[in-house]
Amino acid sequence: MWQASKANANPHYGVRAMFIETHDSLPLTPDYDAWPVDVSIASIEHQPRELHVYWEDGQFSRYHSVWLRENAADDSTINPATRERILDLSSLNAWPTIDSAALEESGAVCLTFAPEQRPLRFHPGWLRAHDYSNGHTQDAPLVAVTTWRGSDKQAPDTFDANGWLDHPSGSPVDTALLEPALESLLSQGLVRLQNLPTAPGTLADIARRIGPIRPTNFGELFDVKAKPNPDSNAYTSIALPPHVDLPTREYQPGLQLLHCLENSVTDGQAVMMDGFAIAEALRDEEPQVFDTLSQVRWCFANTAQTTDYVWHEPVIRCDAHGELLEVRIADFLRGPLQTDFNQVEPAYEALMALQRRLRDPSFAMRFTYHPGDLVIFDNRRLLHARDAFEGSSGQRWLQGCYLERDEVRSRYRIVQRTKRQKRIATAD
Ligand SMILES: [Fe+2]
């Protein structure tokens, strides 16, 4: 056991908590989430600017005093009604430091901060889940991304949604369907639900099970079917090349939902390909092409009689860690390239290398829509296309809408939170 005398002998060492207070229950956390205590704290020690936590499973965690002070859950830090922060750290008289630390019988940590001399309690489950000293980063994906090719995956992950809408949002049946469906969506960028009602407009109810719809100039819901005087190639019977929707917007819609109400035409198969798989193939095999597609800003434009959308962006975008963030591909919506004179030919060489990949049949997944099918896909990752169909052979009617990726992530987090809450309640 780490002795107080050791701490006294060497100022490098922290001061071990020497007493245990009694509290009946664990403290609040600065959020609405649920944090099961899967591993208890064995002991703690502190320095003025650091808390050290030794966990029962051997893990060792460090937390800065300033970070702890800002993330306390008391009503001087967080508005208890909203769980939003009200503390302005710079309003403190000095840098917040730890004067004393105690490990409670409840398992919580109680720290007294200077200069306020304010005792604040911290939930061990929350501390463990936010242990940034062991490489835990909050921007890690909720579900690991798995790229795929149609040659390996012949159909979307598919779930039976018969009767789903008869159960309210948040009910056990609702959650039992959404959890695996959203996991497929987050991982592979694509999921299919089947046996849904085919009444026009049902899609709005379905979409709101995940989150609010993003309206566009095509409305909240749009009808994909051949019609007179079309304002998009989608509203004809011709083939559509692989594309994302609305690359002409600064922020492309994150999710697209397509709900099949009727399909009795000959041909017109749906085609999906994973734009991230294509981009990764380029990064591995033609890195110069990948770099050029990540750097040159192409023009994406959609001009109509009453609207005029234009945006310039690279075809491939990565985040700060080099992980793929989005692709922006739609040949029929590219406007004239406006870039450095010497970049033009390399830009077109890279573009054509990409176009050759889009024709590689190994990337394409092909399937037929049946009435009652719903396909949800990541519109900033997957490319969708359509084979031509014979318009006089029957009816083909899809209804579509857009959501943002944020809504899927939020919904999935709530599903996970609900599970944790039930686990805690069961343990109690
Ligand atoms: Fe489309």
Side-chain angles (χ1 to χ4, degrees), residues 211-347:
I213 294 170
R214 169 171 165 176
T216 71
N217 59 315
F218 297 109
E220 272 209 335
L221 301 188
F222 50 88
D223 292 297
V224 183
K225 60 181 177 181
K227 58 187 180 185
N229 304 316
D231 55 357
S232 165
N233 289 344
Y235 306 148
T236 70
S237 61
I238 67 173
L240 295 177
H243 67 283
V244 301
D245 272 19
L246 306 186
T248 56
R249 308 303 201 269
E250 177 179 359
Y251 197 75
Q252 303 176 107
L255 274 295
Q256 183 168 170
L257 287 74
L258 289 174
H259 180 209
C260 179
L261 305 184
E262 293 183 72
N263 190 13
S264 55
V265 300
T266 303
D267 301 324
Q269 275 202 309
V271 182
M272 296 277 177
M273 37 184 100
D274 186 352
F276 282 8
I278 295 169
E280 291 295 2
L282 288 171
R283 178 145 57 184
D284 289 347
E285 298 161 22
E286 299 179 84
Q288 184 57 53
V289 168
F290 181 91
D291 289 345
T292 303
L293 291 172
S294 303
Q295 292 163 8
V296 175
R297 296 171 70 226
W298 285 88
C299 174
F300 297 91
N302 187 6
T303 60
Q305 293 188 3
T306 58
T307 55
D308 194 343
Y309 294 98
V310 180
W311 190 251
H312 296 81
E313 201 74 58
V315 166
I316 297 172
R317 282 184 59 213
C318 295
D319 65 16
H321 308 293
E323 299 295 330
L324 291 165
L325 187 62
E326 68 171 13
V327 297
R328 196 175 288 250
I329 298 168
D331 273 349
F332 53 93
L333 293 174
R334 264 191 304 99
L337 177 62
Q338 303 282 282
T339 192
D340 182 88
F341 190 86
N342 295 318
Q343 272 195 320
V344 171
E345 288 195 342

Side-chain angles (χ1 to χ4, degrees), residues 142-145 182-189 381 408-409 412:
L142 282 175
V143 177
V145 171
L182 296 183
E183 272 177 11
S184 292
L185 185 55
L186 289 164
S187 169
Q188 297 160 37
R381 169 180 170 181
V408 174
R409 290 191 288 254
Y412 185 73

Side-chain angles (χ1 to χ4, degrees), residues 47-365:
Q47 299 169 355
R49 289 188 174 224
E50 282 189 29
L51 172 71
H52 295 177
V53 175
Y54 298 84
W55 301 89
E56 293 284 3
D57 65 352
Q59 185 164 307
F60 170 58
S61 307
R62 300 164 66 202
Y63 306 88
H64 291 86
S65 59
V66 66
W67 182 93
L68 289 159
R69 179 63 193 90
E70 182 181 59
N71 288 291
D74 73 306
D75 59 9
S76 76
T77 311
I78 300 290
N79 180 343
T82 63
R83 305 284 173 98
E84 291 182 353
R85 182 173 296 108
I86 54 176
L87 171 68
D88 178 349
L89 275 176
S90 67
S91 68
L92 301 179
N93 291 333
W95 191 268
T97 55
I98 302 170
D99 255 5
S100 66
L103 182 59
E104 298 177 354
E105 280 185 356
S106 68
V109 173
C110 183
L111 304 176
T112 301
F113 286 87
E116 306 162 274
Q117 289 305 308
R118 184 187 296 278
L120 297 169
R121 302 173 67 222
F122 293 84
H123 191 292
W126 185 90
L127 282 174
R128 175 82 177 202
H130 295 81
D131 174 14
Y132 58 92
S133 67
N134 280 296
H136 181 77
T137 56
Q138 294 298 312
D139 59 355
L142 282 175
V143 177
V145 171
T146 306
T147 56
W148 52 267
R149 294 186 183 214
S151 54
D152 303 319
K153 185 175 179 63
Q154 273 80 46
D157 286 357
T158 302
F159 300 91
D160 185 356
N162 186 26
W164 170 44
L165 296 178
D166 298 333
H167 298 265
S169 180
S171 65
V173 170
D174 181 64
T175 302
L177 178 70
L178 277 182
E179 183 179 17
L182 296 183
E183 272 177 11
S184 292
L185 185 55
L186 289 164
S187 169
Q188 297 160 37
L190 172 67
V191 69
R192 177 170 61 183
L193 306 184
Q194 293 190 311
N195 301 313
L196 286 159
T198 55
T202 306
L203 179 58
D205 297 332
I206 298 169
R208 290 185 187 118
R209 288 293 176 106
I210 300 173
I213 294 170
R214 169 171 165 176
T216 71
N217 59 315
F218 297 109
E220 272 209 335
L221 301 188
F222 50 88
D223 292 297
V224 183
K225 60 181 177 181
K227 58 187 180 185
N229 304 316
D231 55 357
S232 165
N233 289 344
Y235 306 148
T236 70
S237 61
I238 67 173
L240 295 177
H243 67 283
V244 301
D245 272 19
L246 306 186
T248 56
R249 308 303 201 269
E250 177 179 359
Y251 197 75
Q252 303 176 107
L255 274 295
Q256 183 168 170
L257 287 74
L258 289 174
H259 180 209
C260 179
L261 305 184
E262 293 183 72
N263 190 13
S264 55
V265 300
T266 303
D267 301 324
Q269 275 202 309
V271 182
M272 296 277 177
M273 37 184 100
D274 186 352
F276 282 8
I278 295 169
E280 291 295 2
L282 288 171
R283 178 145 57 184
D284 289 347
E285 298 161 22
E286 299 179 84
Q288 184 57 53
V289 168
F290 181 91
D291 289 345
T292 303
L293 291 172
S294 303
Q295 292 163 8
V296 175
R297 296 171 70 226
W298 285 88
C299 174
F300 297 91
N302 187 6
T303 60
Q305 293 188 3
T306 58
T307 55
D308 194 343
Y309 294 98
V310 180
W311 190 251
H312 296 81
E313 201 74 58
V315 166
I316 297 172
R317 282 184 59 213
C318 295
D319 65 16
H321 308 293
E323 299 295 330
L324 291 165
L325 187 62
E326 68 171 13
V327 297
R328 196 175 288 250
I329 298 168
D331 273 349
F332 53 93
L333 293 174
R334 264 191 304 99
L337 177 62
Q338 303 282 282
T339 192
D340 182 88
F341 190 86
N342 295 318
Q343 272 195 320
V344 171
E345 288 195 342
Y348 274 101
E349 285 173 2
L351 179 71
M352 286 188 263
L354 169 66
Q355 289 170 330
R356 285 190 286 275
R357 298 277 178 170
L358 299 182
R359 291 199 300 275
D360 179 343
S362 74
F363 285 110
M365 172 196 291

Side-chain angles (χ1 to χ4, degrees), residues 354-422:
L354 169 66
Q355 289 170 330
R356 285 190 286 275
R357 298 277 178 170
L358 299 182
R359 291 199 300 275
D360 179 343
S362 74
F363 285 110
M365 172 196 291
R366 210 170 229 98
F367 59 91
T368 300
Y369 284 117
H370 300 286
D373 285 1
L374 170 76
V375 172
I376 311 175
F377 56 95
D378 187 327
N379 184 63
R380 295 170 64 198
R381 169 180 170 181
L382 261 65
L383 310 177
H384 61 289
R386 178 187 73 203
D387 293 339
F389 61 91
E390 177 52 59
S392 60
S393 61
Q395 297 296 322
R396 186 182 192 274
W397 183 7
L398 308 179
Q399 281 197 316
C401 70
Y402 304 111
L403 302 178
E404 298 301 355
R405 284 177 173 171
D406 296 303
E407 308 305 340
V408 174
R409 290 191 288 254
S410 171
R411 194 74 191 85
Y412 185 73
R413 285 194 188 97
I414 292 296
V415 167
Q416 296 302 313
R417 181 195 298 179
T418 303
K419 281 178 64 178
R420 287 194 294 269
Q421 286 169 335
K422 282 184 182 165

Side-chain angles (χ1 to χ4, degrees), residues 34-52:
W35 303 106
V37 184
D38 295 322
V39 183
S40 297
I41 295 175
S43 63
I44 59 172
E45 60 185 33
H46 75 279
Q47 299 169 355
R49 289 188 174 224
E50 282 189 29
L51 172 71
H52 295 177

